[in-house]
Amino acid sequence: QECIQSKPNHMQATTSRMTAVDRVERGLRIAITSGQFAPGRRLREVEIAKRYGLSRTPVREALRHLAADGLAVILPHAGAQVAALSLAEIDELFEIRGALEVLVAVRAASRVTPAIIKQLRAQFARSEIVVRNGKIEQIAAENARLHEMISAAAGSPQLVRLIGSLSEKLWRFRVASLSWSNRPREALLEHRALVVAIARHDVDAVRTLATRHAEKARIAATRWYLDQDRASARRARGGAS
């Protein structure tokens, strides 16, 4: 089921134009980053406007916002479509995100309070439960919450915003990479070691562990991408025969 919100009811008819833009943008953003809208999918203004019960003006503005964030592309005389990332772009974005996450983990290790340490341990326990259940989307969501908590503990709103933007672009690849090999279990063990090191305020260990964790996440995502690319090539050859 597509993550486009239903039309607003008549009681919401007085909603401001910017609120309408935000509503459309949020719905499309969720559909794109979750992978429900595949790369290359057309984002037709008329169709989206009809679904939301709006004119095309707020839809067009929402699409411009998504394009500015790299989630959509607007082609001359062709309209908007979901942006596609190449393997090189995915690799680069994971590398940048990894470097930023190492920085926030190191900052968190030197600033974390006993109360935050307790929260990190509780979040890790939740992650452990969902890994046992084996549902990839839930595992990814709990992993993301742990990373968000570490980012918040770093005490840098600028870093939080930067990582959030990159994580959003890479979300569908982060989720998909957890289906590769034994990555959920590996990531859980990496998170456990990272939380322990942060709780000990061991900056050197945190830097090493966070760097290793980011690199393994990057490798898992690129391997998943290559597997998908090879599978698509096989299907294409099969269809041509």
Side-chain angles (χ1 to χ4, degrees), residues 41-55:
R41 175 182 174 133
R42 291 286 302 278
L43 300 171
R44 295 179 172 86
E45 290 181 9
V46 173
E47 176 185 325
I48 296 168
K50 183 177 180 181
R51 285 180 180 273
Y52 281 92
L54 299 169
S55 71

Side-chain angles (χ1 to χ4, degrees), residues 208-228:
T208 298
L209 292 166
T211 299
R212 188 179 304 152
H213 176 62
E215 179 64 9
K216 287 187 175 182
R218 184 188 67 80
I219 291 171
T222 54
R223 284 179 174 173
W224 175 85
Y225 184 99
L226 289 170
D227 285 347
Q228 296 300 303

Side-chain angles (χ1 to χ4, degrees), residues 16 20 33 35 68 73 78 116 126 159 166 183 187 191 221 240:
S16 70
T33 57
V73 291
I116 296 300
R126 287 190 287 272
L159 278 173
L166 287 169
R183 184 60 196 152
H191 285 155

Side-chain angles (χ1 to χ4, degrees), residues 21-231:
V21 172
D22 292 342
R23 191 168 66 251
V24 176
E25 182 181 343
R26 174 176 168 77
L28 293 177
R29 188 178 293 271
I30 291 171
I32 293 169
T33 57
S34 68
Q36 289 180 303
F37 281 10
R41 175 182 174 133
R42 291 286 302 278
L43 300 171
R44 295 179 172 86
E45 290 181 9
V46 173
E47 176 185 325
I48 296 168
K50 183 177 180 181
R51 285 180 180 273
Y52 281 92
L54 299 169
S55 71
R56 293 173 64 179
T57 301
V59 173
R60 191 175 299 119
E61 187 168 345
L63 291 172
R64 282 199 293 265
H65 291 177
L66 294 170
D69 287 343
L71 295 176
V73 291
I74 300 175
L75 305 174
H77 313 298
Q81 63 184 43
V82 177
L85 292 176
S86 68
L87 177 60
E89 289 170 328
I90 293 169
D91 189 69
E92 180 183 13
L93 289 173
F94 264 97
E95 184 178 9
I96 295 169
R97 175 177 171 269
L100 293 174
E101 289 199 332
V102 171
L103 179 56
V104 299
V106 168
R107 286 176 60 95
S110 63
R111 292 169 171 78
V112 73
T113 64
I116 296 300
I117 291 170
K118 184 177 180 180
Q119 292 173 19
L120 288 174
R121 287 172 174 158
Q123 180 56 41
F124 174 78
R126 287 190 287 272
S127 298
E128 200 168 20
I129 291 170
V130 297
V131 167
R132 285 201 298 268
N133 292 339
K135 295 182 179 180
I136 298 300
E137 293 80 5
Q138 290 182 2
I139 294 171
E142 295 301 335
N143 285 355
R145 290 188 186 99
L146 181 64
H147 280 282
E148 287 166 3
M149 291 172 69
I150 294 172
S151 295
S156 174
Q158 295 290 346
L159 278 173
V160 170
R161 281 192 288 271
L162 286 170
I163 291 176
S165 175
L166 287 169
S167 296
E168 185 178 63
K169 289 181 183 179
L170 293 171
W171 178 251
R172 63 182 181 268
F173 303 104
R174 292 168 64 196
V175 174
S177 68
L178 288 169
S179 65
W180 187 83
S181 186
N182 195 36
R183 184 60 196 152
R185 181 63 183 170
E186 289 178 350
L188 181 69
L189 296 176
E190 292 159 18
H191 285 155
R192 175 185 290 157
L194 187 59
V195 169
V196 168
I198 289 173
R200 291 176 177 169
H201 307 283
D202 189 340
V203 171
D204 290 338
V206 166
R207 182 179 290 106
T208 298
L209 292 166
T211 299
R212 188 179 304 152
H213 176 62
E215 179 64 9
K216 287 187 175 182
R218 184 188 67 80
I219 291 171
T222 54
R223 284 179 174 173
W224 175 85
Y225 184 99
L226 289 170
D227 285 347
Q228 296 300 303
D229 196 47
R230 284 191 288 265

